[in-house]
Amino acid sequence: MSKISIIGLGWIGLPLAKILCANHTVCGSTTTAEKAESLQKEGINAIQFALVPFPQGKGFQELFTAEVLVVNIPPRTRTSSGELFLEQIKFLRSMVDNSSIKKVLFVSSTGVYPEANRKEAYTETDFLDKSLTGNETIFKSELMFEKDRNFDLTIVRFGGLLGDERIPGKYVAGRENVKGHSRVNFIYRNDAARMLAWIIEQNLWNEVYNGVAPIHSVRKDVYERNALDLGFEPPRSYENASEGVDRLVSGAKILDSGFEFEFPDPLDFPYSKEV
């Protein structure tokens, strides 16, 4: 049994905590006192901790007394700048360096891969640098944890995190000229949490893994299935098929470790009909 801390008890962090609690001592962070109190009532050891970008909260030092730290705070690029996120990562890295943490699991994104269309799927061995990345902020955040470290580090690059109340077809319902002919790099919410837990349990450290479902369904098919199953309007029209560009990311490496997806095909992801 290990002591594990999760920075970010959010959409992936909370189900991860519930999985890990069966065999480990787990604590995690949330940015508000109200959310921490609510999770405490559910039996989750939640601590208020925010990076603004400097650390704020009450008793958050406990998070850094663990053996394993999961960093799960994706950049909110739609509502804040990449510079703020990198400042948060800088403070977090400094706190790790001054703690007893021995292993870090850093949640990243397949957005780090370039947008360029090519025949081969991107893999974890593809070379990336500042001029050859799809998202410089994500790329820099990975480097900030990789550089000059004295702890084990594994990076997980998730594709589109979907399922439950996150329904891809709903975002394009009734729209015209929707991009629908490319194939997707999606992963179901609970498979993402299970994958993180698998890496910890199997001691898969000092690696990079892509977290995408092994079947890359056509985007149009996903949208149409969502509309049929959940009763909302499908897109009214799609772009020409010739404009559909595949930017595939391979998830073969995590499969080679023995991990099995509960939902390998995005066409089968479960969703909440109440949303």
Side-chain angles (χ1 to χ4, degrees):
M1 178 177 284
S2 301
K3 184 175 182 181
I4 301 171
S5 292
I6 302 170
I7 304 297
L9 288 174
W11 206 65
I12 301 300
L14 183 55
L16 173 62
K18 292 178 179 179
I19 292 169
L20 293 173
C21 278
N23 297 307
H24 303 278
T25 301
V26 178
C27 66
S29 75
T30 185
T31 56
T32 67
E34 293 78 14
K35 179 73 177 296
E37 183 179 353
S38 174
L39 291 176
Q40 290 278 2
K41 293 177 180 178
E42 293 183 34
I44 303 292
N45 183 12
I47 297 168
Q48 183 192 5
F49 175 61
L51 292 160
V52 292
F54 50 87
Q56 280 189 349
K58 182 178 181 181
F60 62 80
Q61 293 82 1
E62 181 183 349
L63 294 163
F64 299 90
T65 62
E67 177 187 349
V68 179
L69 181 73
V70 180
V71 178
N72 182 35
I73 49 168
R76 300 183 182 278
T77 53
R78 294 181 182 178
T79 57
S80 61
S81 69
E83 289 77 13
L84 173 61
F85 177 71
L86 292 176
E87 284 294 309
Q88 293 174 318
I89 295 298
K90 182 177 74 173
F91 274 105
L92 197 54
R93 171 62 200 268
S94 176
M95 297 176 78
V96 171
D97 287 339
N98 290 286
S99 74
S100 60
I101 290 166
K102 298 178 175 62
K103 306 174 192 295
V104 173
L105 183 52
F106 186 80
V107 176
S108 184
S109 166
T110 56
V112 76
Y113 295 114
E115 290 292 337
N117 181 28
R118 65 180 197 173
K119 293 182 179 179
E120 303 83 13
Y122 286 105
T123 73
E124 295 86 348
T125 60
D126 278 299
F127 175 76
L128 299 172
D129 62 19
K130 283 177 62 177
S131 64
L132 191 66
T133 179
N135 188 304
E136 188 175 339
T137 297
I138 295 172
F139 175 71
K140 286 181 177 179
S141 71
E142 290 187 4
L143 287 184
M144 290 173 75
F145 261 93
E146 287 179 335
K147 185 178 180 182
D148 301 328
R149 56 188 169 85
N150 58 3
F151 50 84
D152 292 324
L153 172 70
T154 285
I155 295 171
V156 175
R157 295 167 176 164
F158 282 132
L161 292 157
L162 296 164
D164 302 337
E165 73 273 17
R166 289 190 184 178
I167 308 168
K170 193 166 186 179
Y171 304 136
V172 294
R175 293 190 180 182
E176 302 276 1
N177 206 34
V178 169
K179 295 180 180 179
H181 298 287
S182 59
R183 290 180 289 170
V184 301
N185 302 294
F186 290 166
I187 183 170
Y188 175 56
R189 175 191 195 180
N190 203 54
D191 277 335
R194 289 176 55 249
M195 180 175 164
L196 296 176
W198 172 266
I199 289 169
I200 293 170
E201 299 288 5
Q202 300 298 317
N203 286 305
L204 301 177
W205 298 108
N206 302 309
E207 300 283 356
V208 177
Y209 290 101
N210 294 328
V212 295
I215 297 175
H216 301 272
S217 303
V218 175
R219 194 174 299 271
K220 178 177 182 288
D221 294 342
V222 175
Y223 297 158
E224 301 278 340
R225 174 67 69 82
N226 290 166
L228 180 64
D229 290 348
L230 300 171
F232 52 77
E233 184 181 4
R236 294 183 180 179
S237 64
Y238 294 92
E239 288 184 348
N240 293 330
S242 60
E243 298 178 21
V245 176
D246 284 333
R247 175 185 163 275
L248 296 183
V249 176
S250 171
K253 183 176 177 181
I254 193 64
L255 292 174
D256 291 342
S257 76
F259 179 76
E260 296 181 359
F261 284 79
E262 185 179 4
F263 293 98
D265 189 341
L267 290 176
D268 298 327
F269 287 4
Y271 295 100
S272 173
K273 294 187 177 182
E274 286 73 34
V275 175

